[in-house]
């Protein structure tokens, strides 16, 4: 019997902006229920790759498949309906809407009450702020709202970009614990993260991207010391 298609498969992806090519023939996959960390130096093309996967930026060459189906031509909202959730750097919430409105805006299948209950179960502090504008929350609470949105919408694949940027270590702990919970519940995760140690703890697989090219694809334990030092040596560590 054939192995099941991965939740996300990227084949030969080339993309960029204007005259600049940022991604060069990139291929990678995220198996069902796995967390894959996408690491690499600043400017490597990690955010660009997530933007192509969610349909915000068109690829020049290559294919993107979600659970075996080509989504290369699908618009962002169509990809979201198929179970893709992109949590962009800088929260991706609606600051002028209330916490409640932010939560229910992305519920395709669940009713609103269930969505709010699921969010509050994971981040009780949000339950005390349902009527507040999201922009009035602390940075950590805004990030909790951003990641929990993904959960209440019941996605199959979540793309997370620099989720811990600017947050206190205890908030980063809570966010990573939450990401572990959704992966254990069967969601697939592609994680771009500045704190390499946190990403490696959370991930089943690692892809290292440098200058738009994949230089490592394997298990965290398989990264050789010289590869780590060469490509991730200047990485930030958060204890
Ligand atoms: P970082 O960790 O710094 O966010 P990254 O690996 O996510 O880096 P990208 O943000 O994807 O890298 O950027 C890759 C390259 O594309 C960089 O050279 C960047 O300057 C360029 N770039 C990013 N966004 C745009 C844009 N909207 N227009 C033109 N060039 C861009």
């Amino acid at each position: 019997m054939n192995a099941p298609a991965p939740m996300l498969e990227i084949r030969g992806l080339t993309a960029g902006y204007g005259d600049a090519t940022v991604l060069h023939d990139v291929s990678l996959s995220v198996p069902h229920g796995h967390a894959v960390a996408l690491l690499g130096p600043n400017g490597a093309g990690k955010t660009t790759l997530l933007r192509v996967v969610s349909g915000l930026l068109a690829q020049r060459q290559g294919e993107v498949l979600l659970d075996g189906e080509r989504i290369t031509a699908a618009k962002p909202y169509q990809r979201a309906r198929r179970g893709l959730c992109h949590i962009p750097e800088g929260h991706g919430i609606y600051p002028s809407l209330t916490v409640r409105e932010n939560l229910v805006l992305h519920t395709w299948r669940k009713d609103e009450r269930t969505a709010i209950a699921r969010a509050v179960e994971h981040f009780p502090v949000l339950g005390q702020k349902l009527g507040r504008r999201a922009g009035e929350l602390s940075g950590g609470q805004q990030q909790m709202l951003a990641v929990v949105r993904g959960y209440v919408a019941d996605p199959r694949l979540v793309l997370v970009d620099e989720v811990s940027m600017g947050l206190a270590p205890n908030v980063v702990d809570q966010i990573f614990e939450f990401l572990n919970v959704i992966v254990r519940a069967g969601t697939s995760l592609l994680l771009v993260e500045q704190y390499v140690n946190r990403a490696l703890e959370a991930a089943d697989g690692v892809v290292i991207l440098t200058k738009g090219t994949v230089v490592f694809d394997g298990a965290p334990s398989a990264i050789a010391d010289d590869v780590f030092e060469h490509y991730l040596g200047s990485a930030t560590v958060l204890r």
Side-chain angles (χ1 to χ4, degrees):
M1 221 168 75
N2 291 338
M7 180 51 77
L8 174 68
E9 188 172 2
I10 295 172
R11 294 183 189 153
L13 193 69
T14 296
Y17 308 92
D19 292 338
T21 300
V22 172
L23 300 174
H24 305 269
D25 193 20
V26 170
S27 297
L28 62 84
S29 61
V30 180
H32 283 260
H34 280 221
V36 171
L38 180 61
L39 304 178
N42 287 345
K46 305 179 297 292
T47 295
T48 301
L49 186 140
L50 297 192
R51 299 187 76 226
V52 173
V53 172
S54 65
L56 296 173
L57 178 69
Q59 74 283 345
R60 292 178 182 163
Q61 281 175 25
E63 287 182 329
V64 180
L65 293 93
L66 188 68
D67 202 12
E69 285 182 40
R70 272 188 195 79
I71 57 166
T72 315
K75 300 199 180 322
Y77 77 90
Q78 293 169 323
R79 298 181 195 211
R81 281 193 186 157
R82 291 192 193 189
L84 197 155
C85 171
H86 182 188
I87 301 170
E89 191 175 341
H91 307 320
I93 58 170
Y94 298 92
S96 59
L97 299 184
T98 64
V99 170
R100 178 183 281 108
E101 288 165 340
N102 269 278
L103 287 171
V104 301
L105 205 59
H106 296 277
T107 54
W108 303 105
R109 295 183 283 272
K110 298 275 177 292
D111 69 53
E112 297 187 357
R113 196 181 294 223
T114 308
I116 291 168
R118 290 180 82 181
V120 170
E121 181 190 337
H122 286 282
F123 295 113
V125 67
L126 295 179
Q128 300 153 21
K129 315 257 178 187
L130 290 173
R132 292 277 289 278
R133 286 184 200 280
E136 295 168 8
L137 302 182
S138 71
Q141 291 163 357
Q142 290 189 28
Q143 196 58 280
M144 290 173 192
L145 179 59
V147 294
V148 86
R149 260 185 40 208
Y151 180 65
V152 299
D154 224 1
R156 297 191 290 162
L157 172 69
V158 179
L159 314 175
V160 186
D161 199 353
E162 303 281 16
V163 72
S164 58
M165 185 72 90
L167 301 182
N170 69 324
V171 179
V172 177
D173 287 344
Q174 290 179 59
I175 302 266
F176 269 81
E177 173 54 30
F178 174 75
L179 294 176
N180 280 330
V181 166
I182 65 170
V183 170
R184 282 201 300 271
T187 307
S188 308
L189 188 68
L190 183 59
L191 178 73
V192 171
E193 175 54 48
Q194 59 170 336
Y195 295 121
V196 166
N197 62 324
R198 293 299 183 105
L200 294 178
E201 281 162 24
D204 306 293
V206 181
V207 174
I208 303 178
L209 200 63
T210 300
K211 296 181 183 162
T213 302
V214 173
V215 293
F216 175 86
D217 186 345
S221 59
I223 306 176
D225 289 348
D226 59 333
V227 171
F228 190 99
E229 189 54 39
H230 191 69
Y231 295 110
L232 305 174
S234 59
T236 320
V237 169
L238 183 73
R239 300 283 172 211

